[in-house]
């Protein structure tokens, strides 16, 4: 017997029409390059989305063409977020910080037909134009910067002019099959070529809904949300879509992402929720006292482990620890979050801080299991055994675009191998110990680089730290700590080791401590261990080593 409910597609047109109909009075504010801002109501924004839909048709962009964006977090970017998928095309967000070779590869692999590019970013993209044969148009979005003259080329169009010349699409957008592709995003590709993750309308709608749940970001109409995490990185963790569904006011930081600029925006616009990688929160920490941040209710932090010391520093200063979430491009990206639950109530504050430093519990509809990479068997959730996290759910990838670049990342029974290694307590709160490729294997035992980094970063003189494996004759690998001290502080290796001794097992103590000026970062602001490994390739450990 079948259920007798309506079978309506879970598709982005619903999100668009809901926002247009119910939240037309709400605002989207975009900070512009020169320190100014642009304000637009959802009603005005919706008309521009409708014009853009017509414009894509007028330009003859294919029915399911990939529509590239090379943009900051701006209202115009959000216009593309809806106009492309609501017309059946596929939004393809391009990472503006990628190396030219990777960018060329990605645009060609996705066969983008058109790319919308912000004026200040054209200099990074245009030199590649000759190598991008599928791209018929580059549409320039003016973002308040004054660049060099635009190249005289028929492929170059102006965004505002294009919109002005296109009548707003008058009807209702329709997507019949909710499994139609809505957007795609390539993973940064720490190894091999970047891999294309393709989100569907259905996965996007379900993932957006989850950002409205109470044990997650809990987005509501009363929120003013500023997504700091880039819109080219896993759809800014789904925040922009979540805001449209909830009716939240949105503040986009535009091109200026310095800690000062971000804190100013939070204070000025009374932002209630924002989200970014730990690097952002580390940078903002010393400046918190200078701003009125009293309207904030949640600081989402993910993309890398949110160190306990950092989260505690926020709790002490703002009365609000970081809201720690975990996921990856392949999981849309939000898969878990660590909110304190009723069974944590009786704990001490310090124990609760340990809970918050965990990556947390899976969201509804996401299934996780921990699998021993050697035996292929699931490990128990006893907080002792660790295994690779495997994920399944309606917003988890089942394969990569064109099936390329990672068949081995999916199990025979259809789960995603995340490459992250974790333990879980009996409530399913996971604690990430490492990425499989970052673990340090010493004498057959794993050392968690993430945990070691957390302990090092708890030292009051340490700003940032990353741990990498160094080959060792006897133990195969031993940990090396690359440490950045806070400005004006000095620290010796011996002082640091002394600090670590009561905190970690003796055999976890790094064999070498290197003080460096800065930890190299990836294009999305995470510690780049690959670059550190390259920097220290051939490093020989001190004679005294273990
Ligand atoms: P990549 O960094 O590989 O380009 P993603 O941006 O999709 O791609 O990053 C996903 C990875 O980031 C995860 O597999 C995990 O290793 C790491 N990550 C994300 N969130 C967290 C977190 N809260 N704690 C620790 N690691 C995290």
């Amino acid at each position: 017997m079948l259920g007798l409910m309506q079978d309506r597609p879970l598709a982005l047109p619903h999100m668009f029409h809901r926002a247009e109909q119910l939240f037309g009075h709400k605002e989207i504010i975009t900070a512009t390059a020169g320190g100014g801002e642009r304000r637009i109501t959802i009603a005005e924004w919706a008309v521009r989305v409708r014009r853009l839909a017509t414009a894509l048709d007028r330009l003859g962009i294919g029915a399911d063409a990939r529509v590239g964006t090379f943009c900051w977090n701006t209202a115009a970017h959000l216009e593309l977020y809806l106009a492309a998928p609501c017309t059946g095309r596929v939004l393809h967000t391009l990472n503006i910080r990628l190396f030219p070779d990777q960018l060329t590869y990605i645009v060609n692999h996705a066969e983008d037909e058109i790319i919308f590019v912000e004026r200040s970013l054209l200099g990074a993209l245009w030199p590649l134009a000759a190598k991008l044969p599928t791209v018929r148009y580059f549409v320039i979005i003016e973002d308040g910067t004054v660049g060099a003259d635009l190249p005289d080329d028929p492929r170059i169009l102006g965004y505002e002019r294009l919109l002005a010349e296109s009548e707003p699409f008058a009807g209702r957008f329709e997507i019949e099959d909710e499994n139609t592709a809505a957007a795609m995003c390539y993973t940064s590709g720490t190894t091999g070529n970047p891999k294309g993750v393709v989100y569907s309308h259905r996965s996007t709608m379900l993932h957006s809904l989850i950002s409205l749940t109470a044990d997650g970001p809990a987005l509501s109409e009363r929120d003013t949300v500023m997504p700091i995490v880039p819109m080219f990185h896993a759809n800014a963790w789904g925040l922009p879509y979540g805001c449209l569904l909830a009716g939240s006011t949105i503040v986009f930081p535009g091109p200026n992402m310095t800690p000062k600029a971000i804190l100013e925006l939070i204070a000025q616009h009374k932002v209630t929720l924002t989200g970014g990688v730990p690097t952002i929160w580390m940078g903002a920490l010393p400046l918190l006292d200078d701003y009125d941040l009293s309207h904030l209710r949640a600081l989402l932090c993910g993309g890398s482990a949110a160190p306990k010391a950092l989260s505690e520093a926020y709790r002490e200063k703002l009365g609000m620890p970081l809201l720690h979430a975990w996921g990856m491009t392949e999981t849309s990206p939000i898969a878990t979050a660590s909110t304190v639950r009723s069974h944590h109530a009786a704990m001490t504050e310090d124990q609760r801080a340990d809970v918050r430093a965990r990556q947390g519990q899976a969201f509804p509809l996401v299934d996780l299991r921990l699998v021993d990479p050697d035996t292929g068997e699931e490990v128990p959730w006893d907080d002792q055994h660790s295994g690779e996290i495997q994920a399944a759910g309606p917003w988890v990838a089942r394969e990569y675009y064109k099936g390329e670049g990672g068949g081995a990342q999916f199990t025979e029974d259809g789960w995603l191998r995340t490459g992250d290694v974790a333990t879980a307590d009996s409530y399913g709160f996971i604690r990430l110990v490492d990425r499989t490729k970052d673990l340090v294997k010493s004498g057959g035992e794993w050392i968690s680089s993430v945990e070691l980094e957390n302990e090092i970063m708890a030292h009051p003189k340490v700003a940032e730290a990353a741990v990498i494996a160094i080959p060792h004759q006897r133990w195969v690998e031993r940990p090396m700590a690359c440490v950045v001290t806070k400005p004006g502080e000095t620290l010796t290796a011996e002082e640091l080791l002394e600090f670590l001794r009561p905190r970690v097992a003796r055999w976890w103590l790094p064999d070498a401590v290197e003080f460096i000026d800065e930890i190299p970062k990836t294009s999305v602001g995470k510690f780049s261990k690959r670059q550190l490994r390259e920097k220290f390739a051939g490093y020989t450990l001190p004679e005294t080593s273990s």
Side-chain angles (χ1 to χ4, degrees), residues 95 186-191 197 199 233-234 237 278 301-306 324-331 333 336 357-360 418-421 432-438 450 522-524 526:
N95 182 336
Y186 282 70
T187 61
S188 320
T190 31
T191 52
V197 177
Y199 307 118
H233 190 212
W237 299 347
C301 182
S304 313
H324 194 187
W326 166 83
M328 54 202 303
T329 305
E330 289 87 335
T331 64
T336 72
R358 285 172 179 263
Q359 282 66 22
T418 65
D420 287 332
V421 180
L432 221 107
V433 294
D434 233 318
R435 291 184 120 174
T436 38
K437 58 180 184 297
D438 291 341
V450 172
T522 67
S523 60
V524 291
K526 304 184 191 191

Side-chain angles (χ1 to χ4, degrees), residues 453-474:
E453 285 157 9
N454 268 333
E455 296 302 341
I456 299 171
M457 285 193 273
H459 192 289
K461 291 184 180 172
V462 172
E464 296 179 334
V467 169
I468 55 170
I470 297 285
H472 188 280
Q473 241 184 343
R474 177 161 174 217

Side-chain angles (χ1 to χ4, degrees), residues 6-72:
Q6 297 178 11
D7 185 11
R8 310 270 294 178
L10 298 172
L12 287 165
H14 170 78
M15 181 185 289
F16 173 79
H17 292 298
R18 174 181 165 82
E20 182 182 51
Q21 200 166 32
L22 306 185
F23 308 123
H25 58 290
K26 300 297 299 272
E27 273 192 314
I28 306 173
I29 300 154
T30 304
T32 53
E37 63 180 32
R38 285 189 189 146
R39 285 173 174 263
I40 183 172
T41 62
I42 292 266
E44 291 161 339
W45 166 87
V47 173
R48 291 167 62 85
V49 173
R50 288 176 173 279
R51 287 186 186 277
L52 184 50
T54 307
L56 292 170
D57 291 343
R58 274 182 51 223
L59 293 173
I61 302 302
D64 67 351
R66 265 66 66 209
V67 174
T69 63
F70 201 67
C71 298
W72 305 108

